[in-house]
Amino acid sequence: MIALPTASGRRWWWTAQMIGLALTGVLLVELLAAPQPTLHVLWDMVIPLLPAVFLVNPLVWRSVCPLATINEYTGNQAGRGAVPPRVLRVAWVIGIALLFAMVPARRFLFNEDGAALAITISLVALLALLAGLTFAGRAGFCNAICPVLPVEKLYGQAPLLPLSGARCAFCTVCTPAGCIDLAADKTMAQTVGPLRKHSGWTATGLGVFAAALPGFIIGYFTTSNQGLDSAGAVYAWVLGLAVVSYVVVALIARTVNARAQIAMPVLGAASLGLYYWHASPSLAASYALAPGGAWVLRAVMGATLAWWLWRTLRRTSWRNATTPADS
Ligand code: SF4
């Protein structure tokens, strides 16, 4: 049984979910009516806060995400059953591919084209709805092809703030493995499987994602917003650095036979450190922080990441967790 918030706590979460849906509607309208200020608020002020939220606890976002609300509603009303384990593992890879396809597209499309972003958000919402009509609960989207899921898994290993999920009153096992809401500390083990015990994790989907992420982040922040005709060059640069990152990490991991329970948190902390190193100046400017604000943000995030990494490496419960993949 999942530990649920109290009745009044659930009412608060439900209210937050409805506000999330309403804000999404407002966002779609404003992306069309006033694209420039809306894109600025979204990309420069809201989205850069999300990785820090995942560090605190990915369940905060998972409990209010409007796409999760759509997926949950249709999944509970019409979803036909759990996702088969094989389909789930393919879906996880699709989610990672979607993330690697959509983030570079910010440079030549989504950062400056409100209509394109509104259409894409609407299409992803439709995907969440259709996934709910196909699979029970949130098995078809949130726990499967959601492009944010690999990030949630990487940072949900040892949340800084213990929380219980607000969505499932009890577990119907809609998702056969890796549900963050059910057991965040076992998610990584169940996703990577037995290969986590040696350097073989680098050949798993989540392992490839974690190893490629530092280069992917550097690649994104070393490009600038350009026209549609730069799409090929942007993908070549960002994904090229992601491949370099993966190769370097995989070689090191195989040389020292690094286990996933050590390597994954280190890669997660390094990636988020790189992210906030690059994002802090724009974040400080957007929130009109005093001069030197970017360095304060970098220092705060650096200290928080060091704390998170220390706590995560100290925890070993997921190392020995029994997973379906082990059997
Ligand atoms: S596996 Fe259980 S806890 Fe996770 S989403 Fe499905 S029903 Fe909820």
Side-chain angles (χ1 to χ4, degrees):
M1 179 77 70
I2 302 170
L4 271 180
T6 61
S8 72
R10 294 200 75 196
R11 271 198 299 278
W12 277 108
W13 280 119
W14 183 86
T15 305
Q17 289 160 10
M18 294 304 107
I19 291 173
L21 275 182
L23 285 177
T24 305
V26 172
L27 173 69
L28 293 177
V29 171
E30 290 301 314
L31 280 172
L32 299 174
Q36 289 317 312
T38 308
L39 288 165
H40 169 61
V41 170
L42 181 69
W43 290 130
D44 299 332
M45 302 181 78
V46 177
I47 295 298
L49 302 181
L50 273 187
V53 171
F54 296 151
L55 211 57
V56 172
N57 196 318
L59 289 183
V60 174
W61 175 246
R62 286 173 67 84
S63 296
V64 299
C65 170
L67 298 178
T69 303
I70 293 170
N71 185 221
E72 178 186 33
Y73 181 77
T74 51
N76 287 346
Q77 299 300 318
R80 297 201 191 106
V83 175
R86 273 170 192 259
V87 174
L88 185 65
R89 293 199 171 270
V90 173
W92 287 340
V93 174
I94 292 173
I96 293 168
L98 283 175
L99 180 75
F100 280 178
M102 292 171 87
V103 173
R106 285 183 55 184
R107 285 303 189 203
F108 56 84
L109 192 63
F110 300 135
N111 280 352
E112 295 185 335
D113 189 331
L117 184 59
I119 291 169
T120 304
I121 292 172
S122 303
L123 289 175
V124 176
L126 182 64
L127 194 59
L129 188 147
L130 292 175
L133 294 178
T134 309
F135 295 109
R138 285 174 293 140
F141 184 81
C142 300
N143 286 344
I145 55 173
C146 171
V148 181
L149 182 62
V151 186
E152 293 173 343
K153 285 183 174 176
L154 195 56
Y155 295 109
Q157 300 171 57
L160 295 176
L161 185 71
L163 273 179
S164 43
R167 292 192 184 272
C168 298
F170 54 87
C171 182
T172 58
V173 200
C174 74
T175 308
C179 177
I180 299 175
D181 298 53
L182 188 59
D185 58 341
K186 294 184 175 61
T187 296
M188 182 70 80
Q190 294 177 351
T191 303
V192 177
L195 293 177
R196 71 187 185 277
K197 296 169 183 169
H198 49 79
S199 64
W201 62 269
T202 52
T204 67
L206 197 62
V208 171
F209 167 74
L213 192 57
F216 183 73
I217 290 172
I218 293 172
Y220 176 79
F221 280 106
T222 50
T223 53
S224 56
N225 295 345
Q226 298 168 53
L228 258 183
D229 56 351
S230 70
V234 169
Y235 277 123
W237 177 251
V238 178
L239 298 183
L241 285 188
V243 169
V244 171
S245 174
Y246 172 76
V247 170
V248 170
V249 170
L251 279 175
I252 295 172
R254 281 167 196 246
T255 303
V256 301
N257 198 22
R259 293 169 301 170
Q261 62 263 34
I262 305 292
M264 291 274 203
V266 170
L267 288 167
S271 298
L272 210 53
L274 283 167
Y275 178 86
Y276 278 107
W277 179 266
H278 287 98
S280 289
S282 137
L283 201 52
S286 299
Y287 281 95
L289 299 186
W295 286 102
V296 173
L297 287 178
R298 285 168 172 163
V300 168
M301 279 314 299
T304 308
L305 279 167
W307 180 34
W308 177 84
L309 183 60
W310 175 76
R311 288 177 82 254
T312 309
L313 292 178
R314 217 171 44 127
R315 293 173 64 150
T316 55
S317 59
W318 72 273
R319 180 190 307 173
N320 301 315
T322 304
T323 81
D326 286 347
S327 55

